[in-house]
Amino acid sequence: MDGVEVLRSNYYTYFENVWTKFHHLRSTTLKDHDSAKEAINQAHAYALEQGTFDQKVFYEAFGIFDNQSIEKSLVSENPLVRIFALLDRRLGKRRLLALEDSMEQELDWVRAFYVIRLQAEGLMEANNI
């Protein structure tokens, strides 16, 4: 957006983030054999929070979004699902404006999509970012 990369859909960058976090967790807090699944789940969540994902993660998020209500999507644990909800036309202007307080606690890259939607609806000028 405006020359700044907000998200990276790149397999190599995504898995670099996943494996770096996984190895860090396994060497520090989650050392035992039974915690490997927990470590990999946390590593995948970390990579997504960093704004990186691969094709599989994207399609899984869209599948979740496509099979639930807009209300559930707006509060989903998955930030990509929340982005799909923010961009959905079922989300009206009043509801969009009502999300302003919750956007303060949101990830920076999710908040960027909120701003895009506000601008598209004419609720915010481009120079007010």
Side-chain angles (χ1 to χ4, degrees):
M1 181 173 135
D2 297 330
V4 176
E5 187 174 47
V6 178
L7 284 173
R8 289 187 83 175
S9 177
N10 180 305
Y11 174 86
Y12 300 106
T13 305
Y14 174 72
F15 277 101
E16 180 182 341
N17 284 341
V18 168
W19 291 114
T20 301
K21 184 67 172 181
F22 174 77
H23 290 295
H24 173 73
L25 289 169
R26 294 292 286 162
S27 66
T28 57
T29 58
L30 299 171
K31 292 181 180 183
D32 63 339
H33 183 312
D34 294 334
S35 64
K37 185 171 181 148
E38 174 72 19
I40 197 69
N41 289 339
Q42 285 183 25
H44 281 288
Y46 169 80
L48 190 55
E49 288 171 4
Q50 297 304 306
T52 61
F53 60 96
D54 74 340
Q55 181 178 345
K56 181 181 178 226
V57 173
F58 179 86
Y59 286 122
E60 284 175 355
F62 188 79
I64 293 167
F65 164 75
D66 198 33
N67 289 301
Q68 67 184 11
S69 69
I70 192 81
E71 289 78 19
K72 284 185 179 179
S73 294
L74 285 168
V75 295
S76 173
E77 290 182 14
N78 187 321
L80 288 175
V81 174
R82 295 193 304 269
I83 285 176
F84 291 135
L86 286 173
L87 298 177
D88 192 304
R89 69 180 176 154
R90 294 177 289 170
L91 184 65
K93 290 181 181 181
R94 279 182 273 176
R95 181 85 186 269
L96 191 63
L97 288 171
L99 293 173
E100 184 176 2
D101 291 336
S102 66
M103 285 297 132
E104 291 176 10
Q105 286 79 37
E106 192 58 83
L107 297 168
D108 290 340
W109 56 270
V110 174
R111 201 171 28 250
F113 282 89
Y114 177 70
V115 170
I116 290 169
R117 179 66 192 275
L118 286 175
Q119 290 173 352
E121 295 291 345
L123 301 171
M124 173 185 263
E125 292 187 27
N127 59 2
N128 286 351
I129 299 176

